[in-house]
Amino acid sequence: MNHAIRVHEHGGPEKLIWEEVPKPDPKPGEVLLKQTAVGLNYIDVYFRTGLYKAPSMPVTIGMEGAGVVEAVGSGVIDLKPGDRVAYAGALGAYAEARVAPAEKLVKIPAGVTDSQAAAMMLQGMTACFLVKQTYALKKGETILVHAAAGGVGSILVQWAKHIGVTVIGVVSTPEKAALIKGLGADHALLTSDNIPAKVKEITSGAMLPVVYDSVGKDTFLTSLDCLRPRGLMISYGNASGPVTTDLGILAAKGSLYVTRPTLNTYTAKREDLVATANDLFAVVQSGAVKIGVNQTFPLKDAAKAHTALESRQTTGSTVLIP
Ligand code: NDP
């Protein structure tokens, strides 16, 4: 018996249907996993609403999970039944058992629990490429991070502090402000603040080399106003809706750069995926970055988890237990 959360038609959390599905057989290059933990990510909302399109419907949403290898397809040589593995970026995670491409899987190191692994792969590897590659942060710089108490945000704040950066985090409530201060953020601003004015004050007018913005539509222009001339706007998500602004604004606001990066591109090659995952496991095992699994729901209650995420009630990472 196998169960999954499937979406038959796009819409609200009520479109997440818990149902019996066949247990798949691994094809060549694939691995059958008995999943122990599934990561909740904002991209799951985009697939549910239809902002991002699945290749076919109905679709088992979810991109991230951890579990135990049950069987391997032909050609899979480096994994065997019993191995503990985790992955990010493979659609079909909201299931008790699933098949996944072996090339997407990494072994979970000792000392990291399945729940932590499911919570950190997607959000943590994203934070990793954002602070090291999209813009290679340098000690002494000052940055702004939106949704700083969220899944990616919490990890990004800690990683940036580990590099020696001054972090200005933006959050919607005083409780979240206290949370990010606890993670090491130097300044906690509220979404209701005049953010560019505060940044000007904090930086004595210099403004910022880079802004990390996962909110999208609502914060795009504010973020541009926090940058110094030729600064970089990293727009890596659309929690409030996609950005549709005309490019002319970049000229008007000081020859700014914008990038819209995705984890998929940064970990498309197996060697990049393994290097990014190892980098992440290392900062977590060293204690420099802590993974806050702040909410846990049974997988069959995924609708409740989506409601919590979209209504901004979650902090850190959320895990769904099959
Ligand atoms: P979060 O835990 O960060 O949850 C979203 C947060 O965004 C909320 O808690 C809220 O924080 C803030 N927010 C601001 N405006 C809204 C709004 N209108 N509706 C809902 N939330 C809002 O989620 P994740 O960590 O899973 O993802 C964060 C972002 O990063 C998402 O946009 C996601 O798409 C993106 N992402 C991008 C990746 C990539 O490869 N480019 C990979 C992974 C994630 P507050 O209440 O403090 O404002």
Side-chain angles (χ1 to χ4, degrees):
M1 181 107 67
N2 186 24
H3 290 91
I5 291 276
R6 295 207 297 176
V7 173
H8 292 256
E9 52 183 32
H10 298 128
E14 74 284 355
K15 299 294 184 189
L16 299 173
I17 312 293
W18 176 248
E19 54 196 13
E20 207 176 316
V21 293
K23 193 167 179 175
D25 282 326
K27 297 193 186 69
E30 287 183 343
V31 171
L32 174 64
L33 295 181
K34 180 178 173 4
Q35 301 205 105
T36 48
V38 172
L40 175 75
N41 291 284
Y42 224 93
I43 194 170
D44 307 345
V45 173
Y46 307 145
F47 274 107
R48 193 202 71 220
T49 59
L51 178 65
Y52 292 179
K53 298 282 179 270
S56 63
M57 298 284 279
V59 56
T60 301
I61 63 166
M63 306 296 277
E64 177 184 41
V68 178
V69 173
E70 224 174 68
V72 299
S74 63
V76 177
I77 46 170
D78 47 356
L79 291 171
K80 58 178 187 321
D83 283 346
R84 233 161 45 92
V85 293
Y87 62 89
L91 191 63
Y94 283 24
E96 290 172 329
R98 69 162 299 172
V99 289
E103 63 182 20
K104 291 275 185 191
L105 302 175
V106 295
K107 288 186 189 165
I108 304 173
V112 174
T113 66
D114 290 14
S115 191
Q116 282 175 321
M120 75 160 100
M121 292 294 291
L122 202 149
Q123 296 167 346
M125 290 200 295
T126 299
C128 181
F129 80 72
L130 288 174
V131 300
K132 293 189 137 189
Q133 293 184 63
T134 311
Y135 182 94
L137 288 175
K138 290 174 286 299
K139 192 177 161 93
E141 288 181 316
T142 303
I143 65 167
L144 185 101
V145 181
H146 285 282
V152 178
S154 294
I155 302 172
L156 210 162
V157 167
Q158 295 177 78
W159 211 319
K161 285 311 301 171
H162 180 53
I163 294 170
V165 163
T166 298
V167 175
I168 307 170
V170 182
V171 291
S172 63
T173 66
E175 293 74 24
K176 289 185 180 182
L179 187 149
I180 64 165
K181 285 277 195 162
L183 297 176
D186 301 272
H187 306 272
L189 306 185
L190 293 176
T191 44
S192 54
D193 286 335
N194 180 338
I195 301 204
K198 294 266 185 190
V199 168
K200 194 170 182 184
E201 201 181 300
I202 291 165
T203 61
S204 308
M207 308 311 275
L208 307 171
V210 59
V211 169
Y212 291 96
D213 187 333
S214 64
V215 175
K217 184 159 80 57
D218 288 357
T219 49
F220 189 73
L221 295 178
T222 305
S223 293
L224 298 186
D225 284 335
C226 295
L227 289 167
R228 68 187 184 200
R230 293 191 281 157
L232 174 65
M233 162 66 172
I234 302 180
S235 176
Y236 70 95
N238 3 261
S240 67
V243 175
T244 53
T245 315
D246 188 274
L247 284 182
I249 196 83
L250 303 178
K253 290 189 183 289
S255 303
L256 303 175
Y257 294 84
V258 175
T259 180
R260 177 61 176 88
T262 81
L263 178 62
N264 253 347
T265 320
Y266 282 83
T267 54
K269 287 192 203 135
R270 173 75 187 164
E271 72 240 42
D272 292 335
L273 168 66
V274 170
T276 310
N278 285 343
D279 222 351
L280 172 64
F281 288 137
V283 288
V284 171
Q285 286 179 307
S286 76
V289 171
K290 296 195 172 48
I291 304 300
V293 183
N294 295 354
Q295 299 77 211
T296 302
F297 293 84
L299 177 59
K300 66 176 168 40
D301 292 339
K304 286 186 189 154
H306 275 223
T307 301
L309 182 64
E310 286 177 276
S311 58
R312 302 161 82 154
Q313 286 163 28
T314 63
T315 57
S317 302
T318 303
V319 164
L320 308 171
I321 303 296

